[in-house]
Amino acid sequence: MPSFFGRKLVPSIRPLDPEWAADCARLHAPSFGHPWSEYEFERLLAADNTVADGALEAGGRRLLGFVLSRNAGEEAEILTVVVDVATRRRGLGRALVGTHLARLAGLGVKALFLEVEEENRAAIALYAGYDFREVGRRQGYYPKASGEAASAVVMRRDLG
Ligand SMILES: CC(C)(COP(=O)(O)OP(=O)(O)OC[C@H]1O[C@@H](n2cnc3c(N)ncnc32)[C@H](O)[C@@H]1OP(=O)(O)O)[C@@H](O)C(=O)NCCC(=O)NCCS
């Protein structure tokens, strides 16, 4: 069972390797219109320039959330952050991103970027809480089932 501190979950956060690909795909699928397959996660997690952190339930092996970045020298890009639908709003996203920022800073990353759908209030609030700032917009970036497309907000956070 996860451990509790009030309503907050206290996860154990650790780097992820390709063995976690199936768990990542399981968590990713319900949250995105174009979910990434287990194979795609396997390739990403095996890549030298991927930095991946996962939140496990305390004392267990169940993956509750993860964050993935692609690292290019002094710059990196967050590719995705996902928390299990059943454990949202309990501090896991914040804990994951905080640990991830510290790890990237330790790897020498100076500037971190990401793209997020403009209507994704939860993610934008999470990133804003870590001082990510909007630096641009990409119109019509995310295709939607309706045939329309949502814009992407490009955000940046300096590290170190
Ligand atoms: C975005 C996401 C990772 C947040 O994870 P989480 O564990 O629920 O987030 P936390 O509980 O740590 O919340 C941290 C802060 O984020 C913001 N936030 C999180 N969920 C929110 C929501 N539904 N509405 C508004 N703000 C929200 C709040 O500022 C919150 O701080 P607070 O609880 O003190 O108000 C999660 O909602 C998710 O997996 N969404 C689907 C995937 C996704 O959209 N990923 C981002 C794009 S790649």
Side-chain angles (χ1 to χ4, degrees):
M1 286 291 289
S3 59
F4 292 86
F5 182 73
R7 280 275 306 153
K8 298 290 177 196
L9 284 172
V10 183
S12 148
I13 297 181
R14 49 162 283 178
L16 297 181
D17 64 24
E19 281 185 20
W20 292 94
D23 297 271
C24 289
R26 170 180 60 79
L27 291 187
H28 196 261
S31 295
F32 294 97
H34 300 279
W36 301 346
S37 67
E38 178 178 344
Y39 175 67
E40 285 171 301
F41 275 109
E42 217 172 270
R43 288 187 56 188
L44 270 172
L45 292 169
D48 287 343
N49 61 349
T50 299
V51 181
D53 289 302
L56 305 188
E57 64 180 353
R61 272 190 56 86
R62 184 171 163 75
L63 189 69
L64 301 176
F66 63 92
V67 51
L68 275 185
S69 290
R70 183 183 293 133
N71 188 349
E74 294 194 347
E75 291 190 358
E77 179 186 12
I78 292 185
L79 302 179
T80 194
V81 183
V82 188
V83 168
D84 191 332
V85 176
T87 51
R88 287 186 188 162
R89 287 318 292 263
R90 294 167 78 181
L92 287 184
R94 179 178 287 134
L96 271 168
V97 171
T99 300
H100 200 63
L101 294 185
R103 193 142 87 88
L104 290 171
L107 292 170
V109 172
K110 304 275 188 249
L112 183 56
F113 295 85
L114 60 87
E115 281 143 13
V116 56
E117 190 177 326
E118 64 180 351
E119 289 161 15
N120 192 340
R121 287 182 44 240
I124 290 173
L126 170 65
Y127 298 135
Y130 275 110
D131 293 329
F132 279 86
R133 296 286 172 249
E134 179 174 338
V135 291
R137 293 243 165 187
R138 296 197 174 128
Q139 304 298 329
Y141 192 74
Y142 295 106
K144 295 170 110 175
S146 62
E148 296 168 7
S151 296
V153 178
V154 182
M155 303 184 91
R156 173 184 176 135
R157 206 294 198 163
D158 292 327
L159 300 177

